[in-house]
Coordinates of all heavy atoms in Angstrom, one line a residue:
M183 N -5.6 24.8 -1.3 CA -6.4 24.6 -2.5 C -5.5 24.5 -3.7 O -4.6 25.4 -3.8 CB -7.4 25.8 -2.6 CG -8.3 25.7 -3.7 SD -9.4 27.1 -3.9 CE -10.7 26.6 -2.8
P184 N -5.7 23.5 -4.5 CA -4.8 23.4 -5.6 C -5.1 24.5 -6.7 O -6.1 25.1 -6.7 CB -5.2 22.0 -6.3 CG -6.4 21.6 -5.6 CD -6.6 22.4 -4.4
A185 N -4.0 24.8 -7.4 CA -4.1 26.0 -8.4 C -5.1 25.7 -9.5 O -5.7 26.6 -10.0 CB -2.7 26.2 -9.0
A186 N -5.3 24.4 -9.8 CA -6.2 24.0 -10.9 C -7.6 24.4 -10.5 O -8.5 24.7 -11.3 CB -6.1 22.6 -11.2
A187 N -7.9 24.4 -9.2 CA -9.3 24.7 -8.7 C -9.6 26.2 -8.9 O -10.7 26.6 -9.0 CB -9.5 24.3 -7.3
L188 N -8.5 27.1 -9.1 CA -8.7 28.5 -9.2 C -8.9 29.0 -10.6 O -9.1 30.1 -10.9 CB -7.6 29.2 -8.5 CG -7.4 29.0 -7.0 CD1 -6.2 29.7 -6.5 CD2 -8.6 29.5 -6.3
K189 N -8.6 28.0 -11.6 CA -8.7 28.4 -13.0 C -10.2 28.7 -13.3 O -11.1 28.0 -13.0 CB -8.3 27.2 -13.9 CG -6.8 27.2 -14.2 CD -6.4 26.1 -15.0 CE -6.5 26.4 -16.4 NZ -6.0 25.3 -17.3
P190 N -10.4 29.8 -14.1 CA -11.8 30.1 -14.4 C -12.3 29.2 -15.5 O -11.5 28.6 -16.3 CB -11.7 31.5 -15.0 CG -10.3 31.7 -15.4 CD -9.5 30.8 -14.4
L191 N -13.5 28.9 -15.5 CA -14.1 28.0 -16.5 C -14.2 28.7 -17.9 O -14.3 30.0 -17.9 CB -15.6 27.7 -16.1 CG -15.7 26.8 -14.8 CD1 -17.1 26.7 -14.5 CD2 -15.1 25.5 -15.0
P192 N -14.0 28.0 -18.9 CA -14.0 28.7 -20.3 C -15.4 29.2 -20.5 O -16.4 28.5 -20.2 CB -13.7 27.5 -21.2 CG -13.9 26.3 -20.5 CD -13.7 26.5 -19.0
T193 N -15.5 30.3 -21.1 CA -16.8 30.9 -21.4 C -16.9 31.1 -22.9 O -15.9 31.2 -23.6 CB -17.0 32.3 -20.7 OG1 -15.9 33.2 -21.2 CG2 -17.0 32.2 -19.2
Q194 N -18.1 31.2 -23.3 CA -18.3 31.4 -24.8 C -18.3 32.9 -25.1 O -19.0 33.7 -24.5 CB -19.7 30.8 -25.2 CG -20.0 30.9 -26.7 CD -21.3 30.3 -27.0 OE1 -22.0 29.9 -26.1 NE2 -21.6 30.2 -28.3
S195 N -17.4 33.2 -26.0 CA -17.2 34.6 -26.4 C -18.1 35.0 -27.6 O -18.2 34.1 -28.5 CB -15.8 34.9 -26.7 OG -15.6 36.2 -27.2
T196 N -18.7 36.1 -27.6 CA -19.4 36.6 -28.8 C -18.6 37.5 -29.6 O -19.1 38.0 -30.6 CB -20.7 37.3 -28.3 OG1 -20.3 38.5 -27.5 CG2 -21.6 36.4 -27.6
A197 N -17.3 37.7 -29.4 CA -16.5 38.5 -30.1 C -16.2 38.1 -31.5 O -16.1 38.8 -32.5 CB -15.1 38.8 -29.4
R198 N -16.3 36.8 -31.7 CA -16.0 36.2 -33.0 C -17.2 36.2 -34.0 O -17.1 36.2 -35.2 CB -15.5 34.7 -32.9 CG -14.1 34.7 -32.3 CD -13.6 33.3 -32.3 NE -12.3 33.3 -31.6 CZ -12.2 32.9 -30.3 NH1 -13.2 32.4 -29.7 NH2 -11.0 32.9 -29.7
R199 N -18.4 36.3 -33.4 CA -19.6 36.3 -34.2 C -20.5 37.4 -33.6 O -20.8 37.4 -32.4 CB -20.3 35.0 -34.2 CG -20.5 34.4 -32.9 CD -20.9 32.9 -33.1 NE -20.8 32.2 -31.8 CZ -21.7 32.3 -30.9 NH1 -22.8 32.9 -31.1 NH2 -21.5 31.7 -29.7
P200 N -20.9 38.4 -34.4 CA -21.8 39.5 -33.9 C -23.1 39.0 -33.5 O -23.7 38.1 -34.1 CB -21.8 40.4 -35.1 CG -21.5 39.7 -36.3 CD -20.6 38.5 -35.8
V201 N -23.7 39.6 -32.5 CA -25.0 39.3 -32.0 C -26.0 40.2 -32.7 O -25.8 41.5 -32.8 CB -25.1 39.5 -30.5 CG1 -26.5 39.2 -30.0 CG2 -24.1 38.5 -29.9
L202 N -27.1 39.7 -33.3 CA -28.0 40.6 -33.9 C -28.8 41.4 -32.9 O -29.0 40.9 -31.8 CB -29.0 39.7 -34.8 CG -28.4 38.9 -35.9 CD1 -29.4 38.0 -36.6 CD2 -27.8 39.8 -36.9
L203 N -29.2 42.6 -33.3 CA -29.9 43.4 -32.4 C -31.4 42.9 -32.2 O -31.9 42.3 -33.2 CB -30.0 44.8 -33.0 CG -28.7 45.6 -33.0 CD1 -28.9 47.0 -33.7 CD2 -28.2 45.9 -31.6
D204 N -31.9 43.0 -31.0 CA -33.3 42.6 -30.8 C -34.2 43.7 -31.4 O -34.2 44.9 -30.9 CB -33.6 42.5 -29.4 CG -32.8 41.3 -28.8 OD1 -32.5 40.4 -29.5 OD2 -32.6 41.3 -27.5
L205 N -34.8 43.5 -32.5 CA -35.7 44.5 -33.1 C -37.2 44.0 -32.8 O -37.4 42.8 -32.7 CB -35.5 44.6 -34.6 CG -34.1 45.1 -34.9 CD1 -33.9 45.2 -36.4 CD2 -33.9 46.5 -34.4
P206 N -38.2 44.8 -32.8 CA -38.1 46.2 -32.9 C -37.6 46.9 -31.6 O -37.8 46.4 -30.5 CB -39.5 46.7 -33.1 CG -40.3 45.6 -32.5 CD -39.5 44.4 -32.6
Y207 N -36.8 48.0 -31.7 CA -36.3 48.7 -30.6 C -37.4 49.5 -30.0 O -38.1 50.3 -30.6 CB -35.2 49.6 -31.1 CG -34.7 50.6 -30.1 CD1 -33.8 50.2 -29.1 CD2 -35.0 52.0 -30.1 CE1 -33.4 51.1 -28.2 CE2 -34.6 52.8 -29.2 CZ -33.7 52.4 -28.2 OH -33.3 53.3 -27.3
T208 N -37.6 49.4 -28.7 CA -38.6 50.2 -28.0 C -37.9 51.0 -26.9 O -37.3 50.5 -26.0 CB -39.7 49.3 -27.3 OG1 -39.0 48.3 -26.5 CG2 -40.5 48.6 -28.4
P209 N -38.0 52.3 -27.0 CA -37.3 53.1 -26.0 C -38.0 53.0 -24.6 O -39.1 52.7 -24.5 CB -37.4 54.5 -26.5 CG -38.5 54.5 -27.5 CD -38.6 53.1 -28.0
V210 N -37.2 53.4 -23.6 CA -37.8 53.4 -22.2 C -38.7 54.6 -22.1 O -38.6 55.6 -22.8 CB -36.6 53.6 -21.2 CG1 -37.1 53.6 -19.8 CG2 -35.5 52.5 -21.5
E211 N -39.7 54.4 -21.2 CA -40.7 55.4 -21.0 C -40.0 56.7 -20.5 O -39.2 56.7 -19.6 CB -41.7 55.0 -20.0 CG -42.9 56.0 -19.8 CD -43.9 55.5 -18.9 OE1 -44.1 54.2 -18.8 OE2 -44.5 56.3 -18.2
K212 N -40.3 57.8 -21.2 CA -39.6 59.1 -20.9 C -40.4 59.8 -19.7 O -41.6 59.7 -19.6 CB -39.6 60.0 -22.1 CG -38.8 59.5 -23.2 CD -38.8 60.4 -24.4 CE -38.0 59.8 -25.5 NZ -38.0 60.7 -26.7
S213 N -39.6 60.5 -18.9 CA -40.1 61.3 -17.9 C -39.7 62.8 -18.2 O -38.7 63.0 -18.9 CB -39.6 60.9 -16.5 OG -38.2 61.0 -16.5
P214 N -40.5 63.7 -17.7 CA -40.2 65.1 -18.1 C -38.9 65.6 -17.4 O -38.6 65.2 -16.3 CB -41.4 65.9 -17.5 CG -42.1 65.0 -16.5 CD -41.7 63.6 -17.0
L215 N -38.2 66.4 -18.2 CA -36.9 67.0 -17.7 C -37.2 68.1 -16.7 O -38.3 68.7 -16.8 CB -36.1 67.5 -18.9 CG -35.6 66.4 -19.8 CD1 -34.9 67.1 -21.0 CD2 -34.6 65.5 -19.1
P216 N -36.3 68.4 -15.8 CA -36.6 69.4 -14.8 C -36.6 70.8 -15.5 O -35.8 71.1 -16.3 CB -35.4 69.3 -13.8 CG -34.3 68.6 -14.6 CD -35.0 67.7 -15.6
P217 N -37.6 71.6 -15.1 CA -37.7 73.0 -15.7 C -36.7 73.9 -15.1 O -36.1 73.7 -14.0 CB -39.1 73.4 -15.4 CG -39.4 72.7 -14.1 CD -38.7 71.4 -14.2
G218 N -36.4 75.0 -15.9 CA -35.6 76.1 -15.3 C -34.1 76.0 -15.6 O -33.3 76.9 -15.1
R219 N -33.7 75.0 -16.4 CA -32.2 74.9 -16.7 C -32.0 75.7 -18.0 O -32.9 75.9 -18.8 CB -31.9 73.4 -16.9 CG -32.2 72.5 -15.8 CD -31.1 72.4 -14.8 NE -31.5 71.6 -13.7 CZ -30.8 70.5 -13.2 NH1 -29.7 70.2 -13.8 NH2 -31.2 69.9 -12.2
P220 N -30.7 76.0 -18.2 CA -30.3 76.7 -19.4 C -30.5 75.7 -20.6 O -30.4 74.5 -20.4 CB -28.9 77.1 -19.3 CG -28.5 76.8 -17.9 CD -29.6 76.0 -17.3
R221 N -30.8 76.3 -21.8 CA -31.0 75.5 -23.0 C -29.8 74.5 -23.2 O -30.1 73.3 -23.6 CB -31.3 76.3 -24.2 CG -31.6 75.5 -25.4 CD -31.9 76.4 -26.6 NE -32.5 75.7 -27.7 CZ -31.8 74.9 -28.5 NH1 -30.5 74.7 -28.3 NH2 -32.4 74.3 -29.5
E222 N -28.6 75.0 -23.1 CA -27.4 74.1 -23.3 C -27.5 72.8 -22.4 O -27.0 71.8 -22.9 CB -26.2 74.9 -23.0 CG -24.9 74.3 -23.4 CD -24.9 73.9 -24.9 OE1 -25.4 74.7 -25.7 OE2 -24.3 72.9 -25.2
W223 N -28.0 72.9 -21.2 CA -28.0 71.7 -20.4 C -28.9 70.7 -21.0 O -28.6 69.5 -21.0 CB -28.6 72.1 -19.0 CG -28.6 71.0 -18.0 CD1 -27.6 70.6 -17.2 CD2 -29.7 70.0 -17.8 NE1 -28.0 69.5 -16.4 CE2 -29.2 69.1 -16.8 CE3 -30.9 69.9 -18.4 CZ2 -30.0 68.1 -16.4 CZ3 -31.7 68.8 -18.0 CH2 -31.3 67.9 -17.0
Y224 N -30.1 71.1 -21.5 CA -31.0 70.1 -22.2 C -30.3 69.5 -23.4 O -30.5 68.3 -23.7 CB -32.3 70.8 -22.5 CG -33.1 71.3 -21.4 CD1 -33.1 72.7 -21.1 CD2 -33.7 70.4 -20.5 CE1 -33.8 73.1 -20.0 CE2 -34.4 70.9 -19.4 CZ -34.4 72.2 -19.1 OH -35.1 72.7 -18.0
V225 N -29.6 70.3 -24.2 CA -29.0 69.8 -25.4 C -27.9 68.8 -25.0 O -27.8 67.7 -25.6 CB -28.3 71.0 -26.2 CG1 -27.4 70.4 -27.3 CG2 -29.4 71.9 -26.8
T226 N -27.1 69.1 -24.0 CA -26.1 68.2 -23.6 C -26.6 66.9 -23.0 O -26.2 65.8 -23.3 CB -25.2 68.9 -22.5 OG1 -24.7 70.1 -23.1 CG2 -24.0 68.0 -22.1
H227 N -27.7 67.0 -22.2 CA -28.4 65.9 -21.6 C -28.9 64.9 -22.7 O -28.7 63.7 -22.6 CB -29.5 66.4 -20.7 CG -30.3 65.2 -20.1 ND1 -29.8 64.5 -19.1 CD2 -31.5 64.8 -20.4 CE1 -30.8 63.6 -18.7 NE2 -31.8 63.7 -19.6
N228 N -29.6 65.5 -23.7 CA -30.2 64.6 -24.7 C -29.1 64.0 -25.6 O -29.2 62.9 -26.0 CB -31.1 65.4 -25.6 CG -32.4 65.8 -24.9 OD1 -32.8 65.0 -24.0 ND2 -33.0 66.9 -25.2
R229 N -28.0 64.7 -25.8 CA -26.8 64.2 -26.6 C -26.2 63.0 -25.8 O -25.9 62.0 -26.4 CB -25.8 65.3 -26.8 CG -24.6 64.8 -27.6 CD -23.8 65.9 -28.0 NE -24.4 66.6 -29.2 CZ -24.2 67.9 -29.5 NH1 -23.5 68.7 -28.7 NH2 -24.9 68.4 -30.6
R230 N -26.1 63.1 -24.5 CA -25.5 62.0 -23.7 C -26.4 60.8 -23.8 O -25.9 59.7 -23.9 CB -25.4 62.4 -22.3 CG -24.2 63.4 -22.0 CD -24.1 63.8 -20.6 NE -23.0 64.7 -20.4 CZ -23.0 65.7 -19.5 NH1 -24.0 65.8 -18.7 NH2 -22.0 66.5 -19.4
L231 N -27.7 61.0 -23.7 CA -28.7 59.9 -23.8 C -28.6 59.2 -25.1 O -28.6 58.0 -25.2 CB -30.1 60.3 -23.5 CG -30.5 60.8 -22.1 CD1 -31.9 61.3 -22.1 CD2 -30.2 59.7 -21.1
K232 N -28.5 60.0 -26.2 CA -28.4 59.4 -27.5 C -27.1 58.6 -27.7 O -27.1 57.5 -28.3 CB -28.5 60.5 -28.6 CG -28.5 60.1 -30.0 CD -28.7 61.3 -30.9 CE -29.1 61.0 -32.2 NZ -29.4 62.2 -33.0
A233 N -26.0 59.2 -27.2 CA -24.7 58.5 -27.3 C -24.7 57.2 -26.5 O -24.2 56.2 -27.0 CB -23.6 59.5 -26.8
M234 N -25.4 57.2 -25.4 CA -25.5 56.0 -24.6 C -26.3 54.9 -25.3 O -25.8 53.7 -25.4 CB -26.1 56.3 -23.2 CG -25.9 55.2 -22.2 SD -26.4 55.6 -20.5 CE -27.4 57.0 -20.6
R235 N -27.4 55.3 -25.9 CA -28.2 54.4 -26.7 C -27.4 53.8 -27.8 O -27.4 52.6 -28.1 CB -29.4 55.0 -27.2 CG -30.5 55.2 -26.2 CD -31.8 55.6 -26.9 NE -32.5 56.5 -26.0 CZ -32.6 57.9 -26.2 NH1 -32.1 58.4 -27.2 NH2 -33.2 58.6 -25.3
L236 N -26.6 54.6 -28.5 CA -25.8 54.2 -29.7 C -24.7 53.3 -29.2 O -24.4 52.3 -29.9 CB -25.3 55.4 -30.5 CG -26.4 56.1 -31.3 CD1 -25.8 57.5 -31.8 CD2 -26.8 55.3 -32.4
A237 N -24.1 53.6 -28.1 CA -22.9 52.8 -27.6 C -23.4 51.4 -27.3 O -22.8 50.4 -27.6 CB -22.3 53.5 -26.4
I238 N -24.6 51.3 -26.6 CA -25.2 50.1 -26.3 C -25.5 49.2 -27.5 O -25.2 48.0 -27.6 CB -26.4 50.2 -25.3 CG1 -26.0 50.8 -24.0 CG2 -27.2 48.9 -25.2 CD1 -27.1 51.3 -23.1
A239 N -26.1 49.9 -28.5 CA -26.5 49.2 -29.7 C -25.2 48.7 -30.4 O -25.2 47.6 -31.0 CB -27.3 50.1 -30.6
L240 N -24.1 49.5 -30.4 CA -22.9 49.0 -31.1 C -22.3 47.9 -30.4 O -21.8 46.9 -31.0 CB -21.9 50.2 -31.1 CG -22.2 51.3 -32.2 CD1 -21.3 52.5 -31.9 CD2 -21.9 50.7 -33.6
L241 N -22.3 47.9 -29.0 CA -21.8 46.8 -28.2 C -22.6 45.5 -28.5 O -22.1 44.4 -28.6 CB -21.7 47.2 -26.8 CG -20.7 48.2 -26.4 CD1 -21.0 48.6 -24.9 CD2 -19.3 47.7 -26.5
D242 N -23.9 45.7 -28.6 CA -24.8 44.5 -28.9 C -24.5 43.9 -30.2 O -24.7 42.8 -30.5 CB -26.3 44.9 -28.8 CG -26.7 45.1 -27.3 OD1 -26.0 44.7 -26.4 OD2 -27.8 45.7 -27.1
S243 N -24.1 44.8 -31.2 CA -23.9 44.3 -32.6 C -22.5 43.8 -32.8 O -22.2 43.4 -33.9 CB -24.2 45.4 -33.6 OG -23.3 46.4 -33.5
G244 N -21.6 43.8 -31.8 CA -20.3 43.3 -31.9 C -19.2 44.2 -32.1 O -18.0 43.8 -32.3
V245 N -19.4 45.5 -32.0 CA -18.4 46.5 -32.1 C -17.9 46.9 -30.7 O -18.7 47.5 -29.9 CB -18.9 47.8 -32.8 CG1 -17.8 48.9 -32.9 CG2 -19.4 47.5 -34.2
Y246 N -16.8 46.3 -30.3 CA -16.3 46.5 -28.9 C -15.2 47.5 -28.7 O -15.0 47.9 -27.6 CB -15.8 45.1 -28.4 CG -16.9 44.0 -28.4 CD1 -16.8 43.0 -29.3 CD2 -17.9 44.1 -27.6 CE1 -17.8 42.0 -29.4 CE2 -18.9 43.1 -27.6 CZ -18.8 42.1 -28.5 OH -19.8 41.1 -28.5
V247 N -14.6 47.9 -29.8 CA -13.4 48.8 -29.7 C -13.7 50.1 -30.3 O -14.3 50.1 -31.4 CB -12.2 48.1 -30.3 CG1 -10.9 49.0 -30.2 CG2 -11.9 46.7 -29.8
P248 N -13.4 51.2 -29.7 CA -13.7 52.5 -30.3 C -13.1 52.7 -31.7 O -13.7 53.4 -32.5 CB -13.1 53.5 -29.3 CG -13.0 52.8 -28.0 CD -12.7 51.4 -28.4
N249 N -12.0 52.1 -32.0 CA -11.4 52.2 -33.3 C -12.3 51.6 -34.4 O -12.2 52.0 -35.5 CB -10.0 51.5 -33.4 CG -9.1 52.0 -32.4 OD1 -9.4 52.9 -31.7 ND2 -7.9 51.4 -32.3
Q250 N -13.1 50.6 -34.1 CA -14.0 50.0 -35.0 C -15.3 50.9 -35.2 O -16.0 50.7 -36.3 CB -14.6 48.7 -34.5 CG -13.5 47.6 -34.4 CD -14.0 46.4 -33.8 OE1 -15.0 46.4 -32.9 NE2 -13.4 45.3 -34.1
A251 N -15.6 51.9 -34.4 CA -16.8 52.7 -34.4 C -16.4 54.0 -35.2 O -16.3 55.0 -34.6 CB -17.3 52.9 -33.0
R252 N -16.4 53.9 -36.5 CA -16.2 55.1 -37.3 C -17.6 55.8 -37.4 O -18.6 55.3 -37.0 CB -15.7 54.8 -38.7 CG -14.3 54.2 -38.6 CD -13.5 54.4 -39.8 NE -13.4 53.6 -41.0 CZ -13.5 52.2 -41.0 NH1 -13.8 51.6 -40.0 NH2 -13.4 51.6 -42.1
N253 N -17.6 57.1 -37.8 CA -18.8 57.8 -37.9 C -19.8 57.1 -38.8 O -21.0 57.1 -38.5 CB -18.5 59.2 -38.5 CG -17.8 60.1 -37.5 OD1 -17.6 59.7 -36.4 ND2 -17.5 61.3 -37.9
E254 N -19.4 56.5 -39.9 CA -20.3 55.8 -40.8 C -21.0 54.7 -40.0 O -22.2 54.4 -40.2 CB -19.6 55.3 -42.0 CG -19.0 56.4 -42.8 CD -17.6 56.8 -42.3 OE1 -16.9 55.9 -41.8 OE2 -17.2 57.9 -42.5
T255 N -20.2 53.9 -39.2 CA -20.7 52.7 -38.5 C -21.8 53.2 -37.5 O -22.8 52.6 -37.3 CB -19.6 52.0 -37.8 OG1 -18.6 51.7 -38.7 CG2 -20.1 50.8 -37.1
I256 N -21.5 54.3 -36.8 CA -22.4 54.8 -35.8 C -23.7 55.3 -36.4 O -24.7 55.0 -35.9 CB -21.7 56.0 -34.9 CG1 -20.5 55.4 -34.2 CG2 -22.7 56.6 -34.0 CD1 -19.6 56.4 -33.5
R257 N -23.5 56.0 -37.5 CA -24.7 56.5 -38.2 C -25.6 55.4 -38.8 O -26.8 55.5 -38.8 CB -24.3 57.5 -39.3 CG -23.8 58.8 -38.7 CD -23.5 59.9 -39.6 NE -23.1 61.1 -38.9 CZ -21.9 61.7 -39.0 NH1 -21.0 61.2 -39.9 NH2 -21.7 62.8 -38.3
S258 N -25.0 54.4 -39.3 CA -25.8 53.3 -39.8 C -26.5 52.5 -38.7 O -27.6 52.0 -38.8 CB -24.9 52.3 -40.6 OG -24.0 51.6 -39.8
T259 N -25.8 52.4 -37.5 CA -26.5 51.9 -36.3 C -27.6 52.7 -35.9 O -28.7 52.2 -35.5 CB -25.5 51.7 -35.2 OG1 -24.4 50.9 -35.7 CG2 -26.1 51.0 -34.0
A260 N -27.5 54.0 -35.9 CA -28.6 54.9 -35.6 C -29.8 54.8 -36.5 O -30.9 54.7 -36.0 CB -28.1 56.4 -35.6
E261 N -29.5 54.6 -37.7 CA -30.6 54.3 -38.7 C -31.3 53.0 -38.4 O -32.5 52.9 -38.4 CB -30.1 54.3 -40.1 CG -31.1 54.2 -41.2 CD -30.5 54.2 -42.6 OE1 -29.5 54.8 -42.7 OE2 -31.2 53.6 -43.5
L262 N -30.5 52.0 -38.0 CA -31.0 50.7 -37.7 C -31.9 50.7 -36.5 O -33.0 50.0 -36.5 CB -29.8 49.7 -37.5 CG -30.2 48.2 -37.2 CD1 -30.8 47.6 -38.4 CD2 -29.0 47.4 -36.8
I263 N -31.6 51.4 -35.4 CA -32.3 51.4 -34.2 C -33.4 52.6 -34.3 O -34.2 52.7 -33.3 CB -31.5 51.6 -32.9 CG1 -30.8 52.9 -32.9 CG2 -30.6 50.4 -32.8 CD1 -30.1 53.1 -31.5
G264 N -33.4 53.4 -35.3 CA -34.5 54.3 -35.5 C -34.3 55.7 -34.7 O -35.3 56.3 -34.3
V265 N -33.0 56.2 -34.6 CA -32.9 57.5 -34.1 C -32.2 58.3 -35.1 O -31.7 57.9 -36.1 CB -31.9 57.5 -32.8 CG1 -32.6 56.7 -31.7 CG2 -30.6 56.9 -33.1
H266 N -32.4 59.7 -35.0 CA -31.8 60.6 -36.0 C -30.4 60.4 -36.1 O -29.7 60.1 -35.1 CB -32.2 62.0 -35.6 CG -33.6 62.4 -35.8 ND1 -34.2 62.6 -37.0 CD2 -34.6 62.5 -34.9 CE1 -35.5 62.9 -36.8 NE2 -35.7 62.8 -35.5
P267 N -29.8 60.7 -37.3 CA -28.3 60.5 -37.5 C -27.6 61.5 -36.5 O -27.9 62.6 -36.4 CB -28.1 60.9 -38.9 CG -29.4 60.8 -39.6 CD -30.5 61.0 -38.5
P268 N -26.6 60.9 -35.8 CA -25.8 61.7 -34.8 C -24.9 62.7 -35.5 O -24.4 62.5 -36.6 CB -25.1 60.7 -34.0 CG -25.0 59.5 -34.9 CD -26.2 59.5 -35.8
S269 N -24.6 63.8 -34.8 CA -23.6 64.8 -35.3 C -22.2 64.2 -35.0 O -22.0 63.1 -34.4 CB -23.8 66.1 -34.5 OG -23.5 65.9 -33.2
D270 N -21.2 64.9 -35.5 CA -19.8 64.5 -35.3 C -19.5 64.5 -33.8 O -18.8 63.7 -33.3 CB -18.8 65.4 -36.0 CG -18.9 65.2 -37.5 OD1 -19.4 64.1 -37.9 OD2 -18.4 66.1 -38.3
T271 N -20.0 65.5 -33.1 CA -19.8 65.6 -31.6 C -20.4 64.4 -30.9 O -19.8 63.8 -30.0 CB -20.5 66.9 -31.1 OG1 -19.9 68.0 -31.8 CG2 -20.2 67.0 -29.6
T272 N -21.6 63.9 -31.3 CA -22.2 62.8 -30.7 C -21.4 61.5 -31.0 O -21.2 60.7 -30.1 CB -23.7 62.6 -31.1 OG1 -24.3 63.9 -30.9 CG2 -24.4 61.5 -30.3
C273 N -20.9 61.4 -32.2 CA -20.1 60.2 -32.6 C -18.9 60.2 -31.7 O -18.5 59.1 -31.3 CB -19.7 60.3 -34.1 SG -21.1 60.0 -35.2
H274 N -18.3 61.3 -31.5 CA -17.0 61.4 -30.6 C -17.4 61.0 -29.2 O -16.7 60.2 -28.6 CB -16.5 62.8 -30.7 CG -15.3 63.0 -29.9 ND1 -15.2 63.2 -28.5 CD2 -14.0 62.9 -30.3 CE1 -14.0 63.3 -28.1 NE2 -13.2 63.1 -29.2
M275 N -18.6 61.3 -28.7 CA -19.1 61.0 -27.4 C -19.3 59.5 -27.3 O -19.0 58.9 -26.3 CB -20.3 61.8 -27.1 CG -20.7 61.7 -25.6 SD -22.1 62.8 -25.3 CE -21.4 64.4 -25.4
V276 N -19.8 58.9 -28.4 CA -20.0 57.4 -28.4 C -18.7 56.7 -28.2 O -18.6 55.8 -27.4 CB -20.8 57.0 -29.7 CG1 -20.7 55.5 -29.9 CG2 -22.2 57.5 -29.7
R277 N -17.7 57.1 -29.0 CA -16.4 56.5 -28.9 C -15.8 56.7 -27.5 O -15.2 55.7 -26.9 CB -15.5 57.0 -30.0 CG -15.8 56.5 -31.3 CD -14.7 56.8 -32.3 NE -14.7 58.2 -32.7 CZ -15.6 58.8 -33.6 NH1 -16.4 58.0 -34.2 NH2 -15.5 60.1 -33.8
A278 N -16.0 57.8 -26.9 CA -15.5 58.1 -25.6 C -16.2 57.2 -24.5 O -15.5 56.6 -23.7 CB -15.7 59.5 -25.2
L279 N -17.5 56.9 -24.7 CA -18.2 56.0 -23.8 C -17.7 54.6 -23.9 O -17.5 53.9 -22.9 CB -19.7 56.1 -24.1 CG -20.5 57.2 -23.5 CD1 -21.9 57.2 -24.1 CD2 -20.5 57.2 -22.0
M280 N -17.4 54.2 -25.1 CA -16.9 52.8 -25.4 C -15.5 52.7 -24.8 O -15.1 51.7 -24.3 CB -16.9 52.5 -26.9 CG -18.3 52.4 -27.5 SD -18.2 52.2 -29.2 CE -17.7 50.5 -29.3
R281 N -14.7 53.8 -24.9 CA -13.3 53.7 -24.4 C -13.3 53.6 -22.8 O -12.5 52.9 -22.3 CB -12.6 55.0 -24.8 CG -11.1 55.1 -24.5 CD -10.5 56.3 -25.1 NE -10.6 56.3 -26.6 CZ -11.3 57.3 -27.2 NH1 -11.8 58.3 -26.6 NH2 -11.4 57.2 -28.5
Y282 N -14.1 54.4 -22.2 CA -14.1 54.5 -20.7 C -14.8 53.4 -20.0 O -14.7 53.2 -18.8 CB -14.5 55.9 -20.2 CG -13.6 57.0 -20.6 CD1 -14.0 58.0 -21.5 CD2 -12.2 56.9 -20.3 CE1 -13.1 59.0 -21.9 CE2 -11.3 57.9 -20.7 CZ -11.8 58.9 -21.5 OH -10.9 59.9 -21.9
S283 N -15.6 52.6 -20.8 CA -16.3 51.5 -20.2 C -15.5 50.2 -20.0 O -15.9 49.3 -19.4 CB -17.6 51.2 -21.0 OG -17.2 50.7 -22.2
R284 N -14.3 50.3 -20.6 CA -13.4 49.2 -20.5 C -12.7 49.0 -19.2 O -12.4 49.7 -18.4 CB -12.3 49.2 -21.6 CG -13.0 49.1 -23.0 CD -12.0 49.3 -24.1 NE -11.5 48.4 -25.0 CZ -11.6 47.1 -25.0 NH1 -12.2 46.4 -24.0 NH2 -11.2 46.3 -26.0

């Protein structure tokens, strides 16, 4: 097989132009959390869910690198999608999610 046949086809990158978020944002239907866990477990669980939602929204809006996701950027994205402003800990978790998804 010739080497030219193995070349990948050029794809259109969205890195040069940000993609607008699909609004209105509708959250997934929630199911009840399991009872009997310590309160800290629920806090951590909800923080992870919020960080994941924010990381997805940032990726959709064109922020692909954790260095671009400053606290102000993350908080403005939270306001845009309609979630409460995240704490510094949640902002750190958002950047960690973006870092490890690469």
Side-chain angles (χ1 to χ4, degrees):
M183 182 180 277
L188 298 176
K189 271 179 89 174
L191 295 173
T193 58
Q194 183 177 5
S195 173
T196 58
R198 292 190 185 99
R199 50 192 165 83
V201 177
L202 297 175
L203 292 174
D204 293 333
L205 294 178
Y207 171 75
T208 55
V210 180
E211 185 178 329
K212 295 180 181 180
S213 59
L215 294 175
R219 306 268 175 128
R221 184 178 192 284
E222 189 59 36
W223 183 90
Y224 297 105
V225 171
T226 305
H227 176 77
N228 289 330
R229 180 170 282 152
R230 286 179 184 148
L231 291 178
K232 185 177 198 174
M234 192 170 21
R235 279 190 219 107
L236 287 168
I238 291 168
L240 285 167
L241 290 169
D242 287 345
S243 67
V245 178
Y246 300 109
V247 184
N249 301 359
Q250 296 173 332
R252 295 210 267 329
N253 288 356
E254 301 83 33
T255 308
I256 295 171
R257 289 188 176 116
S258 66
T259 303
E261 184 179 335
L262 182 66
I263 65 172
V265 298
H266 289 285
S269 64
D270 290 342
T271 305
T272 307
C273 291
H274 184 275
M275 195 176 285
V276 169
R277 285 188 289 276
L279 282 171
M280 293 175 74
R281 186 174 301 116
Y282 294 121
S283 66
R284 294 172 114 345

